[in-house]
Amino acid sequence: MGRILLGILAIIAVFILIGPLVGFAFTLLKWGLIIGAVAFGIMLVSKWVRT
C-alpha cells in the first residue's frame, strides 16, 4: 500500500513540475515564431524597397 501511494505522489509531483516547463517551452516557441515572422517581414520589405 505504501509503495502505491508513493508512486501516486511521484506521478503527481512530476505533473506539477512538468506543467510550468511545458508552458515555458511553448512561450519560447511563441516568441521564436513572432521574431521569425518579424524578421521575414523585414526581409520581404527590404527586398521590395530595393527593386
Side-chain angles (χ1 to χ4, degrees):
M1 185 73 182
R3 283 187 176 179
I4 294 172
L5 289 176
L6 191 62
I8 292 171
L9 286 175
I11 291 172
I12 291 172
V14 166
F15 278 121
I16 288 172
L17 291 174
I18 242 173
L21 291 176
V22 170
F24 183 66
F26 277 117
T27 300
L28 287 179
L29 178 67
K30 178 184 71 173
W31 281 108
L33 289 173
I34 290 170
I35 291 170
V38 168
F40 185 69
I42 290 172
M43 185 181 70
L44 285 178
V45 169
S46 66
K47 281 187 178 184
W48 180 69
V49 168
R50 231 184 290 157
T51 56

mmCIF file of all heavy atoms in Angstrom:
data_model
loop_
_atom_site.group_PDB
_atom_site.id
_atom_site.type_symbol
_atom_site.label_atom_id
_atom_site.label_comp_id
_atom_site.label_asym_id
_atom_site.label_seq_id
_atom_site.Cartn_x
_atom_site.Cartn_y
_atom_site.Cartn_z
ATOM 1 N N MET A 1 0.834 -1.201 0.000
ATOM 2 C CA MET A 1 0.000 0.000 0.000
ATOM 3 C C MET A 1 0.871 1.254 0.000
ATOM 4 O O MET A 1 0.561 2.218 -0.690
ATOM 5 C CB MET A 1 -0.902 -0.039 1.244
ATOM 6 C CG MET A 1 -1.899 1.097 1.310
ATOM 7 S SD MET A 1 -3.186 0.827 0.093
ATOM 8 C CE MET A 1 -4.136 2.296 0.342
ATOM 9 N N GLY A 2 1.951 1.221 0.775
ATOM 10 C CA GLY A 2 2.829 2.390 0.854
ATOM 11 C C GLY A 2 3.506 2.693 -0.468
ATOM 12 O O GLY A 2 3.667 3.846 -0.848
ATOM 13 N N ARG A 3 3.905 1.622 -1.184
ATOM 14 C CA ARG A 3 4.554 1.830 -2.487
ATOM 15 C C ARG A 3 3.588 2.439 -3.485
ATOM 16 O O ARG A 3 3.973 3.260 -4.312
ATOM 17 C CB ARG A 3 5.087 0.514 -3.023
ATOM 18 C CG ARG A 3 6.352 0.080 -2.353
ATOM 19 C CD ARG A 3 6.908 -1.130 -3.057
ATOM 20 N NE ARG A 3 8.186 -1.505 -2.480
ATOM 21 C CZ ARG A 3 8.896 -2.532 -2.864
ATOM 22 N NH1 ARG A 3 8.436 -3.304 -3.839
ATOM 23 N NH2 ARG A 3 10.052 -2.800 -2.302
ATOM 24 N N ILE A 4 2.345 2.011 -3.441
ATOM 25 C CA ILE A 4 1.343 2.535 -4.370
ATOM 26 C C ILE A 4 1.131 4.036 -4.118
ATOM 27 O O ILE A 4 1.113 4.837 -5.058
ATOM 28 C CB ILE A 4 0.016 1.754 -4.235
ATOM 29 C CG1 ILE A 4 0.215 0.309 -4.686
ATOM 30 C CG2 ILE A 4 -1.086 2.419 -5.041
ATOM 31 C CD1 ILE A 4 -0.967 -0.590 -4.418
ATOM 32 N N LEU A 5 0.982 4.403 -2.850
ATOM 33 C CA LEU A 5 0.798 5.824 -2.520
ATOM 34 C C LEU A 5 2.023 6.635 -2.905
ATOM 35 O O LEU A 5 1.908 7.761 -3.412
ATOM 36 C CB LEU A 5 0.500 5.982 -1.029
ATOM 37 C CG LEU A 5 -0.869 5.490 -0.571
ATOM 38 C CD1 LEU A 5 -0.996 5.615 0.943
ATOM 39 C CD2 LEU A 5 -1.977 6.252 -1.264
ATOM 40 N N LEU A 6 3.226 6.077 -2.681
ATOM 41 C CA LEU A 6 4.453 6.763 -3.051
ATOM 42 C C LEU A 6 4.531 6.959 -4.567
ATOM 43 O O LEU A 6 4.927 8.015 -5.055
ATOM 44 C CB LEU A 6 5.661 5.969 -2.557
ATOM 45 C CG LEU A 6 7.007 6.665 -2.619
ATOM 46 C CD1 LEU A 6 6.994 7.910 -1.739
ATOM 47 C CD2 LEU A 6 8.107 5.714 -2.191
ATOM 48 N N GLY A 7 4.121 5.943 -5.319
ATOM 49 C CA GLY A 7 4.100 6.052 -6.781
ATOM 50 C C GLY A 7 3.125 7.111 -7.252
ATOM 51 O O GLY A 7 3.423 7.897 -8.157
ATOM 52 N N ILE A 8 1.947 7.150 -6.637
ATOM 53 C CA ILE A 8 0.939 8.156 -7.000
ATOM 54 C C ILE A 8 1.456 9.554 -6.686
ATOM 55 O O ILE A 8 1.314 10.479 -7.499
ATOM 56 C CB ILE A 8 -0.391 7.866 -6.273
ATOM 57 C CG1 ILE A 8 -1.016 6.585 -6.822
ATOM 58 C CG2 ILE A 8 -1.354 9.030 -6.423
ATOM 59 C CD1 ILE A 8 -2.213 6.095 -6.041
ATOM 60 N N LEU A 9 2.089 9.712 -5.517
ATOM 61 C CA LEU A 9 2.658 11.019 -5.168
ATOM 62 C C LEU A 9 3.771 11.419 -6.128
ATOM 63 O O LEU A 9 3.886 12.593 -6.495
ATOM 64 C CB LEU A 9 3.187 11.001 -3.730
ATOM 65 C CG LEU A 9 2.127 11.034 -2.641
ATOM 66 C CD1 LEU A 9 2.783 10.887 -1.273
ATOM 67 C CD2 LEU A 9 1.338 12.324 -2.710
ATOM 68 N N ALA A 10 4.579 10.454 -6.556
ATOM 69 C CA ALA A 10 5.649 10.748 -7.507
ATOM 70 C C ALA A 10 5.068 11.204 -8.847
ATOM 71 O O ALA A 10 5.563 12.159 -9.451
ATOM 72 C CB ALA A 10 6.532 9.523 -7.698
ATOM 73 N N ILE A 11 4.021 10.553 -9.305
ATOM 74 C CA ILE A 11 3.386 10.934 -10.576
ATOM 75 C C ILE A 11 2.789 12.335 -10.470
ATOM 76 O O ILE A 11 2.932 13.157 -11.381
ATOM 77 C CB ILE A 11 2.323 9.884 -10.973
ATOM 78 C CG1 ILE A 11 3.008 8.573 -11.346
ATOM 79 C CG2 ILE A 11 1.458 10.397 -12.111
ATOM 80 C CD1 ILE A 11 2.057 7.426 -11.560
ATOM 81 N N ILE A 12 2.125 12.622 -9.363
ATOM 82 C CA ILE A 12 1.551 13.956 -9.159
ATOM 83 C C ILE A 12 2.654 15.008 -9.121
ATOM 84 O O ILE A 12 2.530 16.083 -9.733
ATOM 85 C CB ILE A 12 0.706 13.980 -7.870
ATOM 86 C CG1 ILE A 12 -0.552 13.132 -8.055
ATOM 87 C CG2 ILE A 12 0.328 15.407 -7.495
ATOM 88 C CD1 ILE A 12 -1.350 12.925 -6.785
ATOM 89 N N ALA A 13 3.770 14.709 -8.450
ATOM 90 C CA ALA A 13 4.888 15.660 -8.386
ATOM 91 C C ALA A 13 5.467 15.917 -9.771
ATOM 92 O O ALA A 13 5.815 17.052 -10.103
ATOM 93 C CB ALA A 13 5.964 15.123 -7.449
ATOM 94 N N VAL A 14 5.567 14.864 -10.582
ATOM 95 C CA VAL A 14 6.083 15.029 -11.946
ATOM 96 C C VAL A 14 5.164 15.940 -12.751
ATOM 97 O O VAL A 14 5.635 16.832 -13.470
ATOM 98 C CB VAL A 14 6.252 13.655 -12.629
ATOM 99 C CG1 VAL A 14 6.443 13.806 -14.123
ATOM 100 C CG2 VAL A 14 7.433 12.916 -12.018
ATOM 101 N N PHE A 15 3.862 15.737 -12.640
ATOM 102 C CA PHE A 15 2.923 16.591 -13.372
ATOM 103 C C PHE A 15 2.997 18.036 -12.898
ATOM 104 O O PHE A 15 2.915 18.970 -13.699
ATOM 105 C CB PHE A 15 1.492 16.061 -13.262
ATOM 106 C CG PHE A 15 1.199 14.957 -14.226
ATOM 107 C CD1 PHE A 15 0.799 13.710 -13.769
ATOM 108 C CD2 PHE A 15 1.318 15.153 -15.592
ATOM 109 C CE1 PHE A 15 0.524 12.684 -14.646
ATOM 110 C CE2 PHE A 15 1.050 14.129 -16.484
ATOM 111 C CZ PHE A 15 0.661 12.887 -16.009
ATOM 112 N N ILE A 16 3.163 18.225 -11.582
ATOM 113 C CA ILE A 16 3.264 19.585 -11.042
ATOM 114 C C ILE A 16 4.526 20.268 -11.561
ATOM 115 O O ILE A 16 4.517 21.460 -11.897
ATOM 116 C CB ILE A 16 3.235 19.546 -9.501
ATOM 117 C CG1 ILE A 16 1.830 19.192 -9.026
ATOM 118 C CG2 ILE A 16 3.670 20.871 -8.911
ATOM 119 C CD1 ILE A 16 1.726 18.932 -7.530
ATOM 120 N N LEU A 17 5.617 19.538 -11.648
ATOM 121 C CA LEU A 17 6.875 20.113 -12.120
ATOM 122 C C LEU A 17 6.897 20.292 -13.631
ATOM 123 O O LEU A 17 7.505 21.235 -14.140
ATOM 124 C CB LEU A 17 8.050 19.225 -11.696
ATOM 125 C CG LEU A 17 8.340 19.196 -10.198
ATOM 126 C CD1 LEU A 17 9.419 18.172 -9.901
ATOM 127 C CD2 LEU A 17 8.752 20.566 -9.701
ATOM 128 N N ILE A 18 6.251 19.392 -14.367
ATOM 129 C CA ILE A 18 6.324 19.437 -15.826
ATOM 130 C C ILE A 18 5.401 20.512 -16.406
ATOM 131 O O ILE A 18 5.672 21.035 -17.482
ATOM 132 C CB ILE A 18 6.010 18.043 -16.398
ATOM 133 C CG1 ILE A 18 7.197 17.532 -17.152
ATOM 134 C CG2 ILE A 18 4.800 18.019 -17.276
ATOM 135 C CD1 ILE A 18 7.087 16.119 -17.615
ATOM 136 N N GLY A 19 4.352 20.886 -15.689
ATOM 137 C CA GLY A 19 3.420 21.895 -16.190
ATOM 138 C C GLY A 19 4.083 23.218 -16.514
ATOM 139 O O GLY A 19 3.990 23.704 -17.648
ATOM 140 N N PRO A 20 4.797 23.835 -15.575
ATOM 141 C CA PRO A 20 5.471 25.105 -15.887
ATOM 142 C C PRO A 20 6.545 24.954 -16.955
ATOM 143 O O PRO A 20 6.760 25.875 -17.753
ATOM 144 C CB PRO A 20 6.100 25.510 -14.559
ATOM 145 C CG PRO A 20 5.318 24.802 -13.520
ATOM 146 C CD PRO A 20 4.867 23.529 -14.151
ATOM 147 N N LEU A 21 7.217 23.812 -17.013
ATOM 148 C CA LEU A 21 8.248 23.618 -18.032
ATOM 149 C C LEU A 21 7.637 23.576 -19.430
ATOM 150 O O LEU A 21 8.184 24.147 -20.371
ATOM 151 C CB LEU A 21 9.028 22.322 -17.762
ATOM 152 C CG LEU A 21 9.917 22.337 -16.521
ATOM 153 C CD1 LEU A 21 10.547 20.974 -16.324
ATOM 154 C CD2 LEU A 21 10.970 23.407 -16.630
ATOM 155 N N VAL A 22 6.500 22.912 -19.554
ATOM 156 C CA VAL A 22 5.811 22.870 -20.849
ATOM 157 C C VAL A 22 5.321 24.264 -21.221
ATOM 158 O O VAL A 22 5.449 24.688 -22.373
ATOM 159 C CB VAL A 22 4.653 21.849 -20.810
ATOM 160 C CG1 VAL A 22 3.772 21.960 -22.043
ATOM 161 C CG2 VAL A 22 5.197 20.439 -20.666
ATOM 162 N N GLY A 23 4.786 24.988 -20.242
ATOM 163 C CA GLY A 23 4.360 26.360 -20.513
ATOM 164 C C GLY A 23 5.515 27.242 -20.947
ATOM 165 O O GLY A 23 5.393 28.040 -21.880
ATOM 166 N N PHE A 24 6.668 27.088 -20.303
ATOM 167 C CA PHE A 24 7.852 27.867 -20.668
ATOM 168 C C PHE A 24 8.315 27.513 -22.073
ATOM 169 O O PHE A 24 8.681 28.392 -22.862
ATOM 170 C CB PHE A 24 8.966 27.603 -19.651
ATOM 171 C CG PHE A 24 10.210 28.399 -19.894
ATOM 172 C CD1 PHE A 24 10.203 29.773 -19.756
ATOM 173 C CD2 PHE A 24 11.379 27.766 -20.258
ATOM 174 C CE1 PHE A 24 11.349 30.511 -19.978
ATOM 175 C CE2 PHE A 24 12.527 28.491 -20.488
ATOM 176 C CZ PHE A 24 12.520 29.867 -20.343
ATOM 177 N N ALA A 25 8.283 26.221 -22.429
ATOM 178 C CA ALA A 25 8.683 25.787 -23.765
ATOM 179 C C ALA A 25 7.754 26.387 -24.818
ATOM 180 O O ALA A 25 8.216 26.869 -25.871
ATOM 181 C CB ALA A 25 8.678 24.267 -23.854
ATOM 182 N N PHE A 26 6.450 26.397 -24.563
ATOM 183 C CA PHE A 26 5.519 26.974 -25.526
ATOM 184 C C PHE A 26 5.692 28.489 -25.617
ATOM 185 O O PHE A 26 5.523 29.072 -26.695
ATOM 186 C CB PHE A 26 4.071 26.626 -25.173
ATOM 187 C CG PHE A 26 3.665 25.270 -25.664
ATOM 188 C CD1 PHE A 26 3.316 24.272 -24.777
ATOM 189 C CD2 PHE A 26 3.648 24.988 -27.014
ATOM 190 C CE1 PHE A 26 2.947 23.016 -25.222
ATOM 191 C CE2 PHE A 26 3.280 23.747 -27.485
ATOM 192 C CZ PHE A 26 2.932 22.749 -26.583
ATOM 193 N N THR A 27 6.055 29.139 -24.516
ATOM 194 C CA THR A 27 6.319 30.575 -24.549
ATOM 195 C C THR A 27 7.525 30.867 -25.420
ATOM 196 O O THR A 27 7.507 31.799 -26.241
ATOM 197 C CB THR A 27 6.546 31.105 -23.121
ATOM 198 O OG1 THR A 27 5.372 30.840 -22.354
ATOM 199 C CG2 THR A 27 6.820 32.590 -23.126
ATOM 200 N N LEU A 28 8.588 30.083 -25.253
ATOM 201 C CA LEU A 28 9.774 30.265 -26.094
ATOM 202 C C LEU A 28 9.439 30.019 -27.566
ATOM 203 O O LEU A 28 9.899 30.758 -28.441
ATOM 204 C CB LEU A 28 10.887 29.314 -25.649
ATOM 205 C CG LEU A 28 11.588 29.648 -24.345
ATOM 206 C CD1 LEU A 28 12.645 28.583 -24.052
ATOM 207 C CD2 LEU A 28 12.242 31.017 -24.413
ATOM 208 N N LEU A 29 8.650 28.997 -27.842
ATOM 209 C CA LEU A 29 8.255 28.704 -29.219
ATOM 210 C C LEU A 29 7.451 29.853 -29.800
ATOM 211 O O LEU A 29 7.675 30.279 -30.947
ATOM 212 C CB LEU A 29 7.442 27.408 -29.258
ATOM 213 C CG LEU A 29 6.905 26.995 -30.621
ATOM 214 C CD1 LEU A 29 8.055 26.620 -31.546
ATOM 215 C CD2 LEU A 29 5.960 25.815 -30.463
ATOM 216 N N LYS A 30 6.523 30.398 -29.012
ATOM 217 C CA LYS A 30 5.704 31.515 -29.481
ATOM 218 C C LYS A 30 6.564 32.719 -29.827
ATOM 219 O O LYS A 30 6.419 33.312 -30.895
ATOM 220 C CB LYS A 30 4.678 31.875 -28.401
ATOM 221 C CG LYS A 30 3.802 33.058 -28.781
ATOM 222 C CD LYS A 30 2.864 33.434 -27.639
ATOM 223 C CE LYS A 30 3.676 34.066 -26.523
ATOM 224 N NZ LYS A 30 2.841 34.612 -25.445
ATOM 225 N N TRP A 31 7.483 33.083 -28.929
ATOM 226 C CA TRP A 31 8.343 34.237 -29.188
ATOM 227 C C TRP A 31 9.277 33.985 -30.359
ATOM 228 O O TRP A 31 9.583 34.900 -31.133
ATOM 229 C CB TRP A 31 9.115 34.624 -27.931
ATOM 230 C CG TRP A 31 8.254 35.393 -26.995
ATOM 231 C CD1 TRP A 31 7.747 34.971 -25.816
ATOM 232 C CD2 TRP A 31 7.759 36.722 -27.180
ATOM 233 N NE1 TRP A 31 6.977 35.943 -25.245
ATOM 234 C CE2 TRP A 31 6.966 37.037 -26.063
ATOM 235 C CE3 TRP A 31 7.903 37.674 -28.186
ATOM 236 C CZ2 TRP A 31 6.332 38.266 -25.926
ATOM 237 C CZ3 TRP A 31 7.266 38.896 -28.048
ATOM 238 C CH2 TRP A 31 6.495 39.176 -26.935
ATOM 239 N N GLY A 32 9.740 32.742 -30.514
ATOM 240 C CA GLY A 32 10.572 32.408 -31.673
ATOM 241 C C GLY A 32 9.807 32.584 -32.974
ATOM 242 O O GLY A 32 10.350 33.115 -33.951
ATOM 243 N N LEU A 33 8.557 32.159 -32.986
ATOM 244 C CA LEU A 33 7.741 32.331 -34.196
ATOM 245 C C LEU A 33 7.465 33.801 -34.480
ATOM 246 O O LEU A 33 7.491 34.234 -35.641
ATOM 247 C CB LEU A 33 6.424 31.564 -34.050
ATOM 248 C CG LEU A 33 6.538 30.039 -34.109
ATOM 249 C CD1 LEU A 33 5.193 29.406 -33.787
ATOM 250 C CD2 LEU A 33 7.020 29.594 -35.466
ATOM 251 N N ILE A 34 7.209 34.586 -33.432
ATOM 252 C CA ILE A 34 6.951 36.017 -33.619
ATOM 253 C C ILE A 34 8.190 36.707 -34.168
ATOM 254 O O ILE A 34 8.114 37.480 -35.141
ATOM 255 C CB ILE A 34 6.488 36.660 -32.293
ATOM 256 C CG1 ILE A 34 5.091 36.174 -31.933
ATOM 257 C CG2 ILE A 34 6.530 38.179 -32.380
ATOM 258 C CD1 ILE A 34 4.637 36.562 -30.540
ATOM 259 N N ILE A 35 9.358 36.433 -33.573
ATOM 260 C CA ILE A 35 10.597 37.064 -34.037
ATOM 261 C C ILE A 35 10.917 36.620 -35.457
ATOM 262 O O ILE A 35 11.349 37.429 -36.289
ATOM 263 C CB ILE A 35 11.743 36.730 -33.058
ATOM 264 C CG1 ILE A 35 11.496 37.438 -31.724
ATOM 265 C CG2 ILE A 35 13.094 37.126 -33.630
ATOM 266 C CD1 ILE A 35 12.416 36.999 -30.610
ATOM 267 N N GLY A 36 10.688 35.347 -35.769
ATOM 268 C CA GLY A 36 10.910 34.858 -37.128
ATOM 269 C C GLY A 36 9.988 35.534 -38.136
ATOM 270 O O GLY A 36 10.415 35.890 -39.236
ATOM 271 N N ALA A 37 8.736 35.715 -37.777
ATOM 272 C CA ALA A 37 7.792 36.372 -38.686
ATOM 273 C C ALA A 37 8.183 37.832 -38.915
ATOM 274 O O ALA A 37 8.110 38.331 -40.048
ATOM 275 C CB ALA A 37 6.372 36.285 -38.121
ATOM 276 N N VAL A 38 8.611 38.521 -37.852
ATOM 277 C CA VAL A 38 9.037 39.912 -37.997
ATOM 278 C C VAL A 38 10.278 39.993 -38.882
ATOM 279 O O VAL A 38 10.369 40.851 -39.778
ATOM 280 C CB VAL A 38 9.288 40.550 -36.610
ATOM 281 C CG1 VAL A 38 9.997 41.882 -36.733
ATOM 282 C CG2 VAL A 38 7.970 40.713 -35.867
ATOM 283 N N ALA A 39 11.245 39.096 -38.671
ATOM 284 C CA ALA A 39 12.459 39.096 -39.489
ATOM 285 C C ALA A 39 12.131 38.797 -40.946
ATOM 286 O O ALA A 39 12.681 39.426 -41.859
ATOM 287 C CB ALA A 39 13.452 38.070 -38.949
ATOM 288 N N PHE A 40 11.209 37.859 -41.171
ATOM 289 C CA PHE A 40 10.801 37.530 -42.541
ATOM 290 C C PHE A 40 10.115 38.726 -43.200
ATOM 291 O O PHE A 40 10.363 39.033 -44.367
ATOM 292 C CB PHE A 40 9.860 36.321 -42.516
ATOM 293 C CG PHE A 40 9.471 35.826 -43.878
ATOM 294 C CD1 PHE A 40 10.399 35.212 -44.687
ATOM 295 C CD2 PHE A 40 8.168 35.977 -44.329
ATOM 296 C CE1 PHE A 40 10.044 34.742 -45.942
ATOM 297 C CE2 PHE A 40 7.800 35.515 -45.580
ATOM 298 C CZ PHE A 40 8.746 34.896 -46.389
ATOM 299 N N GLY A 41 9.269 39.421 -42.451
ATOM 300 C CA GLY A 41 8.600 40.615 -42.988
ATOM 301 C C GLY A 41 9.594 41.713 -43.323
ATOM 302 O O GLY A 41 9.488 42.355 -44.376
ATOM 303 N N ILE A 42 10.575 41.922 -42.454
ATOM 304 C CA ILE A 42 11.595 42.938 -42.731
ATOM 305 C C ILE A 42 12.386 42.562 -43.972
ATOM 306 O O ILE A 42 12.706 43.420 -44.808
ATOM 307 C CB ILE A 42 12.518 43.105 -41.502
ATOM 308 C CG1 ILE A 42 11.739 43.767 -40.367
ATOM 309 C CG2 ILE A 42 13.757 43.905 -41.844
ATOM 310 C CD1 ILE A 42 12.490 43.800 -39.048
ATOM 311 N N MET A 43 12.700 41.279 -44.130
ATOM 312 C CA MET A 43 13.443 40.830 -45.310
ATOM 313 C C MET A 43 12.627 41.070 -46.581
ATOM 314 O O MET A 43 13.160 41.560 -47.585
ATOM 315 C CB MET A 43 13.767 39.346 -45.164
ATOM 316 C CG MET A 43 14.645 38.795 -46.267
ATOM 317 S SD MET A 43 14.972 37.040 -46.062
ATOM 318 C CE MET A 43 13.360 36.352 -46.400
ATOM 319 N N LEU A 44 11.342 40.757 -46.541
ATOM 320 C CA LEU A 44 10.499 40.976 -47.720
ATOM 321 C C LEU A 44 10.390 42.462 -48.059
ATOM 322 O O LEU A 44 10.486 42.847 -49.233
ATOM 323 C CB LEU A 44 9.107 40.391 -47.500
ATOM 324 C CG LEU A 44 8.984 38.882 -47.575
ATOM 325 C CD1 LEU A 44 7.548 38.457 -47.297
ATOM 326 C CD2 LEU A 44 9.408 38.376 -48.935
ATOM 327 N N VAL A 45 10.194 43.292 -47.041
ATOM 328 C CA VAL A 45 10.072 44.734 -47.290
ATOM 329 C C VAL A 45 11.381 45.292 -47.824
ATOM 330 O O VAL A 45 11.376 46.118 -48.751
ATOM 331 C CB VAL A 45 9.639 45.454 -45.979
ATOM 332 C CG1 VAL A 45 9.777 46.958 -46.129
ATOM 333 C CG2 VAL A 45 8.210 45.078 -45.623
ATOM 334 N N SER A 46 12.518 44.850 -47.288
ATOM 335 C CA SER A 46 13.795 45.374 -47.769
ATOM 336 C C SER A 46 14.045 44.959 -49.221
ATOM 337 O O SER A 46 14.589 45.726 -50.004
ATOM 338 C CB SER A 46 14.944 44.913 -46.873
ATOM 339 O OG SER A 46 15.108 43.521 -46.960
ATOM 340 N N LYS A 47 13.651 43.734 -49.590
ATOM 341 C CA LYS A 47 13.790 43.314 -50.998
ATOM 342 C C LYS A 47 12.849 44.118 -51.887
ATOM 343 O O LYS A 47 13.206 44.486 -53.012
ATOM 344 C CB LYS A 47 13.481 41.819 -51.126
ATOM 345 C CG LYS A 47 14.625 40.937 -50.711
ATOM 346 C CD LYS A 47 14.309 39.485 -51.035
ATOM 347 C CE LYS A 47 15.496 38.612 -50.663
ATOM 348 N NZ LYS A 47 15.271 37.227 -51.041
ATOM 349 N N TRP A 48 11.636 44.391 -51.400
ATOM 350 C CA TRP A 48 10.669 45.137 -52.189
ATOM 351 C C TRP A 48 11.117 46.574 -52.392
ATOM 352 O O TRP A 48 10.942 47.147 -53.455
ATOM 353 C CB TRP A 48 9.313 45.090 -51.485
ATOM 354 C CG TRP A 48 8.226 45.831 -52.219
ATOM 355 C CD1 TRP A 48 7.660 45.493 -53.384
ATOM 356 C CD2 TRP A 48 7.605 47.041 -51.786
ATOM 357 N NE1 TRP A 48 6.707 46.412 -53.722
ATOM 358 C CE2 TRP A 48 6.658 47.383 -52.757
ATOM 359 C CE3 TRP A 48 7.758 47.866 -50.675
ATOM 360 C CZ2 TRP A 48 5.876 48.521 -52.655
ATOM 361 C CZ3 TRP A 48 6.982 48.986 -50.581
ATOM 362 C CH2 TRP A 48 6.048 49.304 -51.553
ATOM 363 N N VAL A 49 11.724 47.175 -51.370
ATOM 364 C CA VAL A 49 12.180 48.570 -51.449
ATOM 365 C C VAL A 49 13.385 48.671 -52.364
ATOM 366 O O VAL A 49 13.529 49.645 -53.098
ATOM 367 C CB VAL A 49 12.504 49.097 -50.027
ATOM 368 C CG1 VAL A 49 13.250 50.423 -50.084
ATOM 369 C CG2 VAL A 49 11.226 49.238 -49.215
ATOM 370 N N ARG A 50 14.253 47.660 -52.357
ATOM 371 C CA ARG A 50 15.469 47.695 -53.167
ATOM 372 C C ARG A 50 15.190 47.660 -54.653
ATOM 373 O O ARG A 50 15.908 48.243 -55.448
ATOM 374 C CB ARG A 50 16.360 46.514 -52.791
ATOM 375 C CG ARG A 50 17.776 46.954 -52.485
ATOM 376 C CD ARG A 50 18.687 45.787 -52.199
ATOM 377 N NE ARG A 50 18.348 45.167 -50.916
ATOM 378 C CZ ARG A 50 18.637 43.930 -50.598
ATOM 379 N NH1 ARG A 50 19.256 43.158 -51.448
ATOM 380 N NH2 ARG A 50 18.314 43.446 -49.420
ATOM 381 N N THR A 51 14.147 46.950 -55.074
ATOM 382 C CA THR A 51 13.879 46.811 -56.519
ATOM 383 C C THR A 51 13.123 48.005 -57.061
ATOM 384 O O THR A 51 12.423 48.707 -56.392
ATOM 385 C CB THR A 51 13.063 45.530 -56.796
ATOM 386 O OG1 THR A 51 11.858 45.555 -56.029
ATOM 387 C CG2 THR A 51 13.893 44.308 -56.453
#
